[in-house]
């Protein structure tokens, strides 16, 4: 390798690292912009500093990564360049809800809702970075790490008859500016698409990382990318050709590594990725409702950046496990990729221990979107009408592309696509047994190659002996 080739290789390697570090910011702000102009499924396009409310549950038309089908969404994109904004929430009774606060780097930094602040009405003053004035007497201050951030609200829905009550709660949730100004929100700096995906990505990373600075120690990481032009004022398109070539190479390597990591970076138990700490990369910003404990901090920088990027790609705006635990799986009990070409069974005995509710949602690959099916069922859980429990109180779920002929299997059917898929188990307000690892899920078993189906004992993996 010549000296020139060695230099270019080093730049490309640096670019692949930069891709992983910058991916959450770029992907998040692209989705923020998309929401402002296109909405998100049933949530209509909504300008900054206002809630957009879904009035119906998400379906296959909601083309967003790992969207849930359990709750109605209320989503707001905040731009605090206009000054502090007052958030008002109503009393909700015994209904589960959560308002999750996410900054531009995808850090979950605050929670308002059933677990975090209770079911009573309240007021919260949302303030921009550097704000140091005295708040009002009745409002709890929530400090935003970045000028732009997202509130992702989720309201539990018991069924179609319950929708009007949820709509009333949504309408009573308000965002009110506290300063009079005729200036519009500053917004996200426009970065037009370049000649390639790689150059577009790195130009957005360059511009947006300067507009929305991360935590102090992350700024040190960004500073190391000065040799590839990601910290300066020169547009990526104007960099020397050899640098742009290296950025192209680094982008391709980083992208492939990130996509591959979704399958391998999280430990698995019986095929399930136990993602209790996948969103724990926030180590700096802890406002109301965000737990600041050592068990919820991922501090190793190498692991942290990779985990943060994978979390954004596979589950943007996902909650910490103490709010909602997410267990996805790609494989069956034999370690084979799940596919609609086969029929599977999942036995839950006991069913997941939760303070709110649980569900198993079906997603296609590689997009992680909900799957169109003839009965309009995108998830199954403890609130699904008509499901049939086993004699011991457990639940046996059939997963297949074709509707089962057996009546009980059809009642407990989670439709799958014809191709590969990834189910995701959500547990809202997970119990202590989930968070301490005591609750263990059985693997998903392929049944179209079995000679007998009377083997429920072998699939019941949540015995006292194994849940310790």
């Amino acid at each position: 390798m010549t000296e020139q080739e060695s230099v270019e290789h080093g730049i490309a390697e640096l670019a692949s690292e930069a891709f992983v570090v910058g991916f959450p910011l770029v992907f998040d702000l692209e989705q923020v912009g998309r929401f402002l102009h296109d909405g998100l499924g049933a949530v209509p396009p909504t300008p900054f500093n206002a809630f957009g409310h879904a009035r119906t549950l998400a379906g296959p038309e909601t083309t967003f990564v790992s969207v849930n089908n359990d709750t109605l969404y209320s989503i707001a994109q905040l731009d605090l360049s206009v000054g502090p904004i007052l958030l008002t929430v109503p009393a909700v009774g015994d209904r589960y809800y959560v308002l999750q606060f996410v900054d531009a780097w995808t850090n979950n930094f605050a929670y308002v809702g059933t677990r975090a602040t209770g079911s009573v009405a309240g007021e919260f003053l949302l303030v921009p970075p550097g704000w140091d004035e005295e708040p009002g007497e009745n409002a709890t201050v929530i400090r935003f790490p970045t000028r732009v951030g997202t509130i992702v609200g989720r309201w539990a829905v018991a069924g179609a008859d319950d929708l009007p009550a949820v709509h009333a709660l949504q309408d009573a949730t308000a965002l009110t500016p506290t300063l009079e100004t005729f200036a519009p929100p500053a917004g996200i700096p426009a970065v037009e698409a370049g000649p390639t995906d790689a150059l577009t990505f790195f130009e957005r990373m360059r511009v947006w990382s300067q507009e929305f600075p991360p935590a102090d120690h992350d700024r040190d990481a960004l500073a190391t990318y000065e040799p590839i032009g990601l910290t300066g004022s020169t547009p990526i398109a104007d960099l020397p050709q050899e640098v742009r070539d290296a950025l192209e190479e680094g982008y391709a390597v980083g992208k492939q590594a990130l996509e591959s990591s979704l399958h391998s970076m999280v430990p698995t138990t019986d095929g399930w990725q136990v993602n209790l700490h996948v969103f724990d990369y926030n180590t700096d910003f802890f406002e109301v409702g965000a737990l600041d404990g050592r068990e919820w901090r991922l501090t190793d920088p190498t692991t942290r950046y990779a985990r943060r990027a994978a979390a954004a790609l596979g589950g943007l705006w996902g909650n910490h496990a103490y709010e909602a635990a997410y267990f996805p799986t790609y494989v069956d009990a034999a370690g084979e990729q799940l596919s609609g070409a086969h029929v599977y069974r999942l036995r839950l005995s006991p069913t997941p221990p939760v303070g709110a509710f649980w569900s198993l949602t079906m997603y296609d690959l590689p997009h992680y979107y909900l799957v169109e099916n003839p009965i309009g069922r995108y998830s199954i859980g403890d609130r699904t009408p008509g499901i049939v429990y086993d004699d011991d109180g457990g639940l046996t779920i059939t997963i297949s592309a074709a509707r089962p002929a057996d009546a009980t299997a059809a009642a407990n059917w989670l439709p799958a696509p014809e191709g590969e898929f990834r189910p995701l188990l959500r547990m809202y307000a997970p119990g202590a047994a989930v968070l301490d690892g005591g609750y263990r899920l059985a693997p998903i078993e392929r049944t179209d190659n079995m000679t007998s189906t009377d083997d429920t004992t072998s699939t019941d993996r949540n015995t006292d002996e194994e849940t310790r």
Side-chain angles (χ1 to χ4, degrees), residues 189-215:
V191 179
E192 298 300 325
T196 67
D197 290 343
L199 298 185
T200 300
F201 173 88
F202 285 117
E203 177 65 0
R204 288 175 177 172
M205 179 180 173
R206 182 189 71 83
V207 173
W208 292 346
S209 63
Q210 294 178 52
E211 183 70 19
F212 306 103

Side-chain angles (χ1 to χ4, degrees), residues 132-457:
D132 59 1
E133 299 179 23
E134 288 296 321
E137 293 183 1
N138 299 321
T140 299
V141 172
I142 298 179
R143 300 178 185 276
F144 274 52
T146 51
R147 171 174 59 80
V148 165
T150 302
I151 301 176
V152 185
R154 301 170 177 88
W155 307 85
V157 181
D161 294 342
D162 193 32
L163 287 173
V166 178
H167 294 167
L169 293 173
Q170 290 177 312
D171 293 339
T173 305
L175 292 166
T176 307
T178 61
L179 300 179
E180 293 185 8
T181 178
F182 294 103
I188 302 168
V191 179
E192 298 300 325
T196 67
D197 290 343
L199 298 185
T200 300
F201 173 88
F202 285 117
E203 177 65 0
R204 288 175 177 172
M205 179 180 173
R206 182 189 71 83
V207 173
W208 292 346
S209 63
Q210 294 178 52
E211 183 70 19
F212 306 103
D216 288 343
H217 56 84
D218 288 339
R219 298 186 197 192
D220 294 337
L222 286 174
T224 65
Y225 306 129
E226 186 275 333
I228 52 177
L230 298 183
T231 63
S233 58
T234 302
I236 296 298
D238 295 337
L239 294 175
Q241 184 64 49
E242 62 269 20
V243 175
R244 283 181 282 146
D245 290 343
L247 289 174
E248 294 279 358
E249 181 182 344
Y251 175 87
V253 172
K255 186 173 184 290
Q256 182 179 22
L258 174 56
E259 292 172 350
S260 298
S261 72
L262 287 179
H263 296 263
S264 61
M265 73 178 299
V266 179
T268 60
T269 301
D270 289 328
W272 295 91
Q273 293 184 342
V274 183
N275 285 1
L276 291 174
H277 299 284
V278 72
F279 294 102
D280 292 359
Y281 42 80
N282 173 25
T283 61
D284 301 273
F285 309 111
F286 298 93
E287 300 295 309
V288 61
L291 301 186
D292 183 10
R294 293 182 60 186
E295 69 275 27
W296 301 111
R297 285 173 175 256
L298 181 65
T299 56
D300 177 72
T302 303
T303 305
R304 178 171 166 266
Y305 292 139
R307 182 72 57 85
R308 184 176 67 179
L313 179 60
L316 184 66
W317 302 342
N319 284 294
H320 272 91
Y322 52 74
E323 187 67 49
Y326 306 98
F327 288 10
T329 183
Y330 293 84
V331 299
D332 62 17
E336 299 295 327
Q337 169 66 52
L338 297 168
S339 168
H342 305 295
V343 178
Y344 303 93
R345 174 179 62 198
L346 171 63
R347 178 160 157 77
L348 301 174
S349 180
T351 55
V354 292
F357 59 94
W358 66 267
S359 70
L360 181 71
T361 307
M362 176 61 65
Y363 297 100
D364 69 5
L365 291 176
H367 303 295
Y368 304 97
Y369 295 162
L370 298 176
V371 175
E372 187 72 54
N373 64 83
I375 64 172
R377 177 182 286 176
Y378 312 112
S379 64
I380 190 169
D382 56 4
R383 301 175 306 153
T384 302
I387 57 175
V388 180
Y389 287 91
D390 302 331
D391 291 342
D392 66 354
L395 184 70
T396 300
I397 299 171
T398 297
I399 302 172
S400 60
R403 181 170 184 154
D406 177 78
T408 298
N412 297 348
W413 178 39
L414 179 60
E418 297 289 342
E420 296 180 347
F421 60 84
R422 182 206 68 172
L424 173 64
L425 181 73
R426 287 181 173 88
M427 292 169 273
Y428 293 86
V434 175
L435 297 181
D436 67 17
Y439 181 72
R440 184 169 171 180
L441 288 170
I444 293 178
E445 293 190 301
R446 180 179 164 189
T447 61
D448 57 353
N449 61 348
M450 289 184 174
T451 58
S452 172
T453 59
D454 186 20
D455 59 352
T456 55
T457 300

